[in-house]
Structure formats: C-alpha cells, structure tokens
Amino acid sequence: MTTHYQHLFLDGSSVNLPVGKVVCIGRNYAEHAKELNNPIPSKPLLFIKPNTALADLRNPLEIPSYSKICHHELEFALLIGKPLKKANVSDVAAAIIGYALALDLTLRDLQDELKVKGHPWEMAKAFDNACPISPFIPVEQIQDPQNVDIRLTVNGQLRQEGNTRQMITKINELLAYISTYFTLLPGDVVLTGTPAGVGELKSGDQLLLELENDYSFVTTVA
C-alpha cells in the first residue's frame, strides 16, 4: 500500500493525498437489509475500514484463506478532499473531489460468527484488501451523484443493480452525520451502501462493475 493516491483519476490527472480511512454505511438500501433479514436502521449504521483495506480494483481480488464465504457488496464511493468536522448538510458537497465504484468484501461466515458472539465485525470487513476500489471520476463528470445507476455482473450474470436515489440516507446527509462522530480528512473514502443482490465470490470469477453506461471496470478473483 502506498502512502498517496497517484494517477487514480480516469481523466489522467493525478492527486497527492494521504491514504486515509474508509468510512462505510451498512444497510443504506432497504432491499439489501431485507435480503439478509436485518432490520432497517433508524440512523446510519457506520463502521470503518483501515487504509490497508484499500486495493486497486483492477488487480485480482484476494480472498483470505481462513474464510469459506466471501460476499461482494457493490458501493458508490466518495473521495474526500477537504476536512469535514461537525459539518452542515449544505457545506459537505464541496468536500467531495471524486467518485468511484468499490467492493465492500465481506467474509460472511466470519461475520455471522462474530455477530452471534456479540463481537465487532472488523475481522470480517476490515482485513487487508477488503476494499477494492476503481480509479476516481472527477466530480464534474457526474451531473447528479444522487441519481446514478450502479451494476455488478459476475461471470456474465447480473448480480447487483441499483440507483443512488434509493439510499435511505442521502449522500450530503450521510457526510454531515459521519462528520459529527468522525472527522473526515483529505484522502478519506466514504462508501455509501450496497443495493440488494450481494452474493458469494469464487476463485476465477470475472466481475464487471458499471456506473451508468459511461464507466466500467473489470476484475477477477484470484
């Protein structure tokens, strides 16, 4: 893992930022909560992945050998370029400098085991390379981030499809809420939740991630 993002924008531009934390939101799409028989939270459900979880999506995905069930969770991601601390909803949009597609890889068997014991989920969610992420798209290239289609196809079969307007907590409200508890710093990444359709990944799987019909990224499972 490098200490800076370098040349990770699709337009060829570069950005020098510390590699920050990844702040994630669970159950931000109602249908995803239902498919796992989880209640829909009344407030955003937050958890954090360390910067060691970040990986280049274009490289083969690595599934830890100590898990037998690794699920994909497709996410619309935000790159933070300005500090946000106890921010107002009206102020947060200016802090976003890029968008991306990411996978919140989840070791579902280990997560279920931890849940039963009442333990934290970090071992199932925050392991090395648990957040493969695409190159970033400059903000000016996405007209309305709260109305974009995202899709994940595995081995030619559509697995996940959603639109960011389906989020329970919208992007600006989410960033303001996060900044109440965690200061967001330049280089931090925010994952905004996953639509329904999460499923298991196997070695050799071929993945296609799409944002609208304009951006697509291909990867494989090692």
Side-chain angles (χ1 to χ4, degrees):
M1 192 72 200
T2 62
T3 57
H4 291 80
Y5 290 112
Q6 293 279 1
H7 306 291
L8 280 185
F9 279 80
L10 285 178
D11 63 0
S13 63
S14 62
V15 59
N16 288 318
L17 292 175
V19 177
K21 61 186 174 291
V22 183
V23 182
C24 310
I25 176 171
R27 307 176 201 169
N28 201 27
Y29 287 74
E31 292 305 312
H32 169 59
K34 292 176 183 177
E35 73 178 344
L36 295 182
N37 296 314
N38 289 322
I40 297 173
S42 58
K43 296 181 180 180
L45 177 61
L46 305 179
F47 61 96
I48 290 178
K49 293 175 185 266
N51 60 7
T52 49
L54 287 165
D56 190 330
L57 177 71
R58 297 167 295 183
N59 295 331
L61 309 182
E62 300 178 18
I63 298 175
S65 59
Y66 50 82
S67 172
K68 295 181 180 179
I69 305 175
C70 179
H71 278 188
H72 57 74
E73 298 190 12
L74 176 67
E75 309 245 358
F76 185 65
L78 319 172
L79 177 61
I80 303 301
K82 297 179 182 178
L84 290 175
K85 182 178 177 66
K86 298 181 180 178
N88 295 320
V89 172
S90 58
D91 298 332
V92 297
I96 304 170
I97 62 170
Y99 303 112
L101 289 177
L103 292 172
D104 170 15
L105 296 183
T106 303
L107 307 181
R108 196 70 71 193
D109 52 345
L110 183 55
Q111 185 188 39
D112 290 344
E113 179 183 327
L114 293 167
K115 282 183 176 181
V116 168
K117 295 178 180 179
H119 292 175
W121 303 350
E122 275 80 0
M123 289 189 295
K125 286 276 194 180
F127 55 92
D128 288 355
N129 304 311
C131 186
I133 191 165
S134 74
F136 287 95
I137 303 162
V139 290
E140 59 270 15
Q141 294 186 21
I142 302 293
Q143 183 175 3
D144 181 2
Q146 204 61 78
N147 183 23
V148 294
D149 294 320
I150 58 175
R151 291 179 296 275
L152 173 64
T153 302
V154 180
N155 299 327
Q157 295 186 337
L158 183 63
R159 289 273 188 92
Q160 290 188 265
E161 184 174 29
N163 186 288
T164 56
R165 66 173 177 268
Q166 298 166 334
M167 292 178 185
I168 296 170
T169 303
K170 307 305 183 185
I171 291 171
N172 291 354
E173 287 81 3
L174 177 60
L175 290 180
Y177 182 84
I178 292 171
S179 76
T180 302
Y181 298 94
F182 315 123
T183 299
L184 290 169
L185 297 172
D188 285 349
V189 172
V190 175
L191 303 190
T192 56
T194 191
V198 302
E200 189 173 355
L201 291 173
K202 297 287 189 180
S203 178
D205 281 349
Q206 307 289 313
L207 283 68
L208 172 64
L209 292 76
E210 298 174 281
L211 193 155
E212 295 286 303
N213 294 315
D214 301 319
Y215 305 98
S216 62
F217 308 96
V218 176
T219 192
T220 62
V221 180

